[in-house]
């Protein structure tokens, strides 16, 4: 049986997927009946302006004989190699010394799940609450501005990704991406994520998915403890020997997988005090921009806007400013989504984006950010955690500027570009609410300057981006971690053996998929230990 991957088959708007088999048979010049299996591995939209949007497919087919793929110029064909398998586990865990995973975000969850499924039960400790309880806390923040220190958009079951768009795009090429996606589908994610070019789950579905992942892990013999913040790392002669949780309980282990995300500032402070080698790293910051979704659809799809098979349109824009040595780019675009308040510490305002599976809200939003270099925030003390203090400063300014009640400062896009104090901004999707403000006041000057120039450049690429109907809300600071916990090729901290820093907070990932993959990488390293 020959397995072929065929890329570049197109269907026009309105053409049914059912005709794919016929198209492939005619392309290969074989009868339809000889296509034994057909699997769509990728479906994307080509909506370049000025021509009708088309759907582009990549498919895997199996046929019972060899086929000469030459001469089929319109598509690409390749014979598929064997799939890479996840390793089985040779390590033996001493009774009472199961690996401890700290943090129940994508990195911790997938590390824990893989180990559990391979016969190594773990203890997963999470400072936040279970999804159902967390949801109540987050709603109360959005509705009344009451922030709970240990239960918010960043802390709790599922980590920072639970209240997200659930976009699963990643630039990382990794053979285990497929395993992550099938695991998510088995846990209740929509099956289209296996084939969509821009897969997304939506926060409403993600909330059930993370619970199902936890239950799967528990069925394999693992234990999950919520409201269990790790306050100390037990180290003896350069080796991790366990952790201490907030009630003072000591838990012994030889493997601490630390997947605490980028908002666990206290945890990084504790590591620094223990002499764990940390280094500052660049990140990006800026604002969120919101447009009516209809307007974005009109720009991207032109006269085909509103066609039933077309999803709400998205965009990705970049602008290089070589004279300033800065780049401006859009990030985490949420079509049909909401801008949400994501405060993680008292007295700070942070924005981010979220959407439901249907992406049917009337707004489109995206972060518009500028790269921040280490020299921008490092002072004479060269403190490795100075990035945290830097972003905190701007989050506090936003808090104060918007009335100290977790509303966010907002300005119409056109007013920001003209540096003009505006009146009441356009209605927005943001909760808990916005206050008109001059956004330049809550940004480092070079970020504000770069944004002003970059957005003008965006409008050249996507005419209509600058409009009276667009609103900017700030500040967007949690694009990625401003610190890295340095680890060696064996996945362990270079200063403490047995400590496995992992995921976004450790500086090795950014986004749901890459964090999950980093969790898998660490679990794999541990499993291959003799
Ligand atoms: C609103 C929002 C929307 C997003 N949208 C997307 C998107 O659409 N697509 C995408 O790819 N990415 C998105 N992201 C980013 C994505 O969520 C993160 O990149 C990802 O969650 C990082 O995974 P992680 O496991 O490394 O860390 P996290 O998800 O941050 O998880 C870390 C966990 O560790 C816990 N923890 C921290 N300290 C301790 C401690 N001392 N003891 C015990 N537990 C601790 C935290 O409570 C948290 O649950 C979004 C983020 C936000 C905030």
């Amino acid at each position: 049986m020959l397995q072929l991957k065929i890329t570049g088959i197109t269907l026009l708007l309105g053409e049914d997927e059912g005709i794919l088999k016929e198209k492939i048979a005619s392309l290969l010049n074989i009868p339809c009946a000889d296509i034994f299996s057909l699997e769509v591995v990728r479906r994307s939209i080509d909506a370049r302006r000025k021509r009708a949007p088309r759907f582009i497919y990549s498919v895997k087919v199996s046929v019972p004989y060899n086929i000469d793929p030459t001469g089929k110029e319109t598509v690409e064909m390749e014979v598929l190699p064997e799939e890479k398998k996840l390793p089985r586990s040779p390590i033996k865990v001493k009774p009472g010394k199961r690996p401890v995973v700290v943090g129940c975000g994508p990195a911790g969850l997938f590390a824990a799940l893989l180990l559990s499924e391979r016969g190594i039960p773990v203890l997963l400790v999470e400072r936040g609450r279970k999804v159902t309880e967390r949801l109540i806390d987050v709603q109360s923040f959005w509705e009344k501005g009451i922030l709970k220190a240990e239960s918010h958009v960043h802390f709790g079951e599922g980590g920072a990704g639970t209240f997200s768009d659930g976009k699963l795009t990643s630039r990382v090429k990794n053979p285990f991406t497929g395993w992550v996606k099938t695991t998510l589908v088995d846990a209740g994610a929509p099956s289209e994520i296996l084939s969509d070019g821009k897969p997304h789950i939506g926060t409403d579905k993600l909330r059930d998915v993370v619970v199902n992942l936890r239950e799967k892990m528990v069925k394999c013999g693992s234990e999950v403890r919520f409201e269990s913040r790790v306050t100390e790392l037990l180290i003896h002669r350069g080796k991790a020997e366990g952790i201490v949780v907030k009630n003072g309980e000591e838990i012994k282990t030889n493997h601490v997988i630390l997947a605490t995300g980028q908002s666990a500032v206290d945890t990084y402070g504790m590591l620094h005090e223990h002499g764990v080698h940390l280094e500052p790293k660049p990140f990006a910051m800026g604002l969120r921009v919101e447009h009516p979704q209809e307007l974005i659809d009109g720009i991207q799809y032109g006269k085909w806007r509103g066609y039933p098979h077309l999803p709400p349109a998205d965009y990705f824009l970049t602008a290089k400013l070589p004279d300033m040595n800065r780049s401006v780019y859009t990030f985490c675009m949420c079509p049909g989504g909401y801008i949400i308040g994501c405060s993680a510490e008292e007295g700070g305002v942070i924005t981010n984006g979220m959407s439901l599976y249907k992406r049917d809200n009337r707004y489109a939003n995206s972060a518009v950010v500028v790269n921040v270099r280490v020299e921008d925030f490092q002072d004479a003390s060269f403190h490795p955690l100075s990035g945290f203090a830097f972003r905190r400063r701007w989050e506090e300014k936003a808090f104060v500027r918007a009335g100290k009640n977790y509303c966010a400062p907002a300005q119409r896009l056109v007013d920001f570009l003209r540096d003009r104090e505006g009146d009441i901004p356009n209605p927005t999707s943001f909760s808990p609410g916005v206050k008109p403000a001059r956004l330049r006041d809550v940004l480092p000057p070079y970020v504000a300057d770069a944004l002003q120039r970059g957005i003008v450049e965006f409008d050249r690429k996507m005419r209509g981006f600058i409009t009276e109907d667009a609103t900017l809300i700030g500040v967007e600071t949690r694009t990625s971690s401003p610190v890295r916990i340095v680890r060696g090729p064996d996945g362990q901290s270079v200063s403490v053996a047995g400590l496995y820093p992992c995921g976004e907070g450790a500086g090795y990932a950014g986004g749901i998929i890459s964090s999950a993959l980093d969790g898998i990488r660490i679990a794999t390293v541990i499993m291959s230990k003799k």
Side-chain angles (χ1 to χ4, degrees), residues 102-107 125-127 153-156 159-161 163-167 228-230 259-261 264 267 332 340 342 352-353 503-504 510-512 515:
V102 188
C104 188
V125 284
E126 163 59 51
R127 68 195 297 164
V153 174
H154 302 268
F155 290 170
F163 297 94
S164 79
D165 191 31
K167 267 182 296 298
S228 301
R229 176 166 50 92
V230 171
T260 44
T267 310
C332 185
I340 52 170
C342 295
N352 211 310
E504 182 172 84
I512 296 170
S515 301

Side-chain angles (χ1 to χ4, degrees), residues 144-348:
K144 301 180 209 140
I146 301 167
L147 178 68
K148 285 223 168 146
E150 297 290 336
S151 182
H152 45 64
V153 174
H154 302 268
F155 290 170
E157 186 166 22
T162 304
F163 297 94
S164 79
D165 191 31
K167 267 182 296 298
L168 300 181
T169 36
S170 164
R171 274 171 285 164
V172 183
K173 284 247 179 281
N174 186 299
F176 301 129
T177 307
W179 186 76
V180 173
K181 287 189 187 165
T182 18
T183 305
L184 290 169
V185 170
D186 291 347
S191 57
E192 309 96 83
I193 65 165
L194 301 175
S195 51
D196 277 352
K198 292 179 182 170
H200 110 110
I201 300 182
T203 179
D204 44 344
K205 300 226 178 245
L206 259 171
R207 293 167 197 171
D208 294 333
V209 168
V210 293
V211 173
N212 292 336
L213 292 177
R214 184 224 317 157
E215 284 173 356
K216 193 170 183 184
M217 196 187 329
V218 171
K219 271 196 194 132
C220 297
S222 287
E223 187 191 347
V224 184
R225 289 193 205 164
F226 292 99
E227 299 179 59
S228 301
R229 176 166 50 92
V230 171
T231 53
E232 270 297 332
L233 182 64
L234 301 172
I235 305 172
H236 183 63
R237 295 194 177 151
K239 265 186 89 175
E241 292 207 320
I243 54 157
V244 181
V245 284
K246 70 172 184 193
N247 60 6
E249 185 190 356
E250 286 192 4
I251 299 166
K252 296 285 186 176
T253 178
N254 295 328
H255 302 92
V256 178
I257 301 178
L258 196 86
T260 44
Q262 56 151 313
S263 296
V265 182
D266 53 350
T267 310
Y268 298 103
M270 177 270 287
L271 294 176
H272 179 61
E273 277 171 26
H274 280 297
V276 174
H277 186 42
L278 307 165
E279 62 184 26
K281 80 175 246 314
F283 65 106
M285 71 171 286
L287 301 166
R288 276 261 151 189
V289 64
E290 185 164 77
H291 293 84
Q293 181 63 51
E294 248 194 350
L295 189 140
I296 299 297
D297 290 348
I299 300 175
Q300 299 297 65
Y301 294 143
K303 64 178 177 182
W304 287 278
R305 177 181 76 183
Y307 197 89
H309 293 286
L310 288 174
D314 64 4
Y315 57 81
F316 171 62
L317 296 162
T318 57
K320 284 213 180 328
L321 306 172
D323 55 321
M324 290 178 77
N325 198 8
R326 304 275 169 195
S327 310
V328 189
Y329 55 97
T330 60
F331 175 77
C332 185
M333 201 263 149
C334 300
Y338 302 79
I339 304 186
I340 52 170
C342 295
S343 297
E345 293 140 42
E346 218 175 287

Side-chain angles (χ1 to χ4, degrees), residues 39-44 56-59 194-199:
E39 183 196 339
V40 174
V41 286
R42 192 178 157 92
R43 181 194 301 104
S44 54
I56 314 282
Y57 285 82
S58 292
V59 295
L194 301 175
S195 51
D196 277 352
K198 292 179 182 170

